[in-house]
Every structure is written in C-alpha cells, then in structure tokens.
Amino acid sequence: MSDQAYRVRAAHCDHRATDEEIYETLQRITAPLNRTWDKLEKAGRIVIKFNMMKNPNGVHLFAGRRRELVDDSVCRAVLRLLRERTSAEIIATDTNPYADDKMTPPDFNYKHHLDEFDVAYDDSNAAPWATYEVPGGGNMFDRYTLSGVFKDADEVVSVAKMKNHSFMGITLCMKNLFGLPPIVPPNGRVRTYFHHAIRLSYILPDLAMITDPCLNIIDALTGQYGREWGGEGRICNALIAGDQVTATDA
C-alpha cells in the first residue's frame, strides 16, 4: 500500500448528516492519506481553492445543501481538519467573474467561514501576480500568470463540488483550478479564451501540474446533473478525498 503512486478514499455520508458527522467522515477518509499529511504538517503556508465563489443571490440549494457549490458544512469541516492537524498559515484564493470590476467584494458568500477559522483571502485577480512554468513544458502553454500567493505556498488544497460541465463532462478538483488564472487584462486573458471547448482540456492539467494539490476533496453529499450552473440536483451521499488530483477525480 505504501508503494502506491496515489491514494484515494470515499465514504458514504448522508446528505442530511450533522456538521459533526460530516467532519468525522472527512477525518476518516483523509486519515490514510499519509503523503498528504506529511506535506501539510510540514507546511508553513497552505493555499486552498474552494469551488464556492458566486453572487449571494446565485447560491441555490437542493435537499438542504448548496446545489452547485461546496456546501457550508463541508467547507467548515475541511478548515477545522486543517486547523487541528497543521500549524500553517492558511490562505484561500479565488477569482470573482461576477463583479463589474472582477474584484471579490468584502462580503463574498463564504467569507464568514474563513473568518471563523482565521483563514486569510487572496484575490487572484489582484496584483501581485507571478509567472509559473508548467513542469515538463505544458499541454497548452508552457507558463501561466497566477497570483503571487503561490510563490510562497508550500502546499495547495482543492475542494470541489460534484457536478456536470458542458465542455469537460464533470467539474471536480481539477476543473476547480480554472478559477485561479486572473481575468483582469493585461495580465489575464478574458475568461472565454480559457473557457473553450478545446483549450480547456489542455489548460486544466497544466494548472494541476503547476499547483499540484496534495489534498483533493470532493463534496458529493449532493451533486448536479446536466450542467455546471442551473442543472438538476442529485442526492449522492458521499465524500471523496485523495492525495493526487487526477486520481481523485477519476
């Protein structure tokens, strides 16, 4: 088991579970991820990307859970687990394409969860930025402009919602990384350039190789069928965690 290139664990977790039951399930499925915890417990700075950014009036529920976004209870369980097992500085980062100026407003829809666990927020649309080369040369480009927060990051965590996507088929931990490139010219490309039926499948693995998330969590308490936004809710009753992003999604 210790010689495996990756490790992924999934568990049943009823979508009606309490916050404590969700935390206990997450704790149980992440416990065997020895390589993950070896990295996280040594880290001085951890950057985390939640699939949660949306205008408050665009947050829809299904069966009591966020339909298209990581649920509040899963977000808090992840942050609680990281706080209990690491002493690192934790910074959440994302981009907000919904505001006219593309800047994240101070009252974005999961800010109160970050505040509860003393987690800072970095707007990946705001300077400073940095250029990151893709290990091995890249599939679409050999380098990308991302937030400078990754320059000093020891490890990265990706927390995603289980749902469909019109181009990629699914949105999970790798597609979650699409929110990282800035979308403010001249440093960022317009979102539609990256979000393209052909280019996207090459860009996503490039972002995954740059950031290399050592902890990948999928909120599958509920899921969404048919599309990324405005699809049909599904009850999945599961949580998934892995130490490598492609393996976790697979």
Side-chain angles (χ1 to χ4, degrees):
M1 294 290 286
S2 61
D3 293 330
Q4 287 183 331
Y6 55 80
R7 185 172 289 183
V8 180
R9 293 292 182 267
H12 177 274
C13 186
D14 196 288
H15 69 287
R16 298 162 296 189
T18 65
D19 283 5
E20 190 64 26
E21 289 168 333
I22 291 169
Y23 167 77
E24 289 172 356
T25 303
L26 188 64
Q27 186 183 48
R28 186 170 71 253
I29 63 173
T30 59
L33 307 181
N34 298 326
R35 284 184 293 266
T36 290
W37 292 116
D38 285 346
K39 294 176 180 179
L40 291 176
E41 289 170 355
K42 295 174 184 175
R45 171 181 282 190
I46 297 169
V47 175
I48 185 167
K49 169 64 170 70
F50 286 104
N51 179 202
M52 294 184 75
M53 187 61 70
K54 196 73 173 175
N55 283 337
N57 60 5
V59 178
H60 301 291
L61 301 181
F62 171 74
R65 299 293 178 188
R66 291 196 185 202
R67 187 182 69 197
E68 301 152 328
L69 304 167
V70 171
D71 192 70
D72 301 87
S73 295
V74 175
C75 174
R76 289 196 301 270
V78 171
L79 295 177
R80 175 182 168 186
L81 189 64
L82 290 173
R83 279 291 177 227
E84 290 180 352
R85 293 207 54 171
T86 78
S87 58
E89 175 190 20
I90 304 175
I91 302 175
T93 191
D94 209 338
T95 52
N96 179 24
Y98 308 106
D100 290 339
D101 62 359
K102 308 306 181 189
M103 295 291 110
T104 305
D107 58 345
F108 62 96
N109 68 68
Y110 60 100
K111 176 69 160 52
H112 56 298
H113 300 317
L114 303 183
D115 291 343
E116 180 182 352
F117 291 91
D118 193 26
V119 173
Y121 178 77
D122 169 81
D123 191 334
S124 279
N125 271 338
W129 295 285
T131 299
Y132 302 85
E133 295 187 358
V134 183
N139 296 287
M140 187 73 203
F141 304 108
D142 61 4
R143 64 197 66 190
Y144 290 77
T145 297
L146 302 176
S147 169
V149 73
F150 293 102
K151 280 291 186 183
D152 297 321
D154 297 299
E155 302 297 340
V156 175
V157 175
S158 178
V159 186
K161 185 72 172 182
M162 179 179 281
K163 55 187 176 179
N164 279 161
H165 187 268
S166 57
F167 296 163
M168 299 305 300
I170 54 171
T171 287
L172 298 172
C173 291
M174 188 182 293
K175 172 61 173 61
N176 181 39
L177 303 175
F178 176 68
L180 297 179
I183 51 179
V184 179
N187 293 286
R189 298 181 182 274
V190 294
R191 201 169 187 85
T192 51
Y193 184 87
F194 279 172
H195 202 272
H196 180 274
I198 296 175
R199 285 188 285 268
L200 191 58
S201 62
Y202 294 93
I203 289 167
L204 292 179
D206 285 351
L207 295 175
M209 286 189 286
I210 290 172
T211 58
D212 191 22
C214 73
L215 176 60
N216 301 273
I217 294 172
I218 299 170
D219 168 13
L221 297 177
T222 60
Q224 180 168 261
Y225 165 78
R227 61 179 69 179
E228 185 177 15
W229 305 110
E232 299 177 20
R234 292 287 189 269
I235 293 173
C236 305
N237 289 336
L239 290 173
I240 303 166
D243 59 13
Q244 201 279 338
V245 62
T246 307
T248 306
D249 287 357

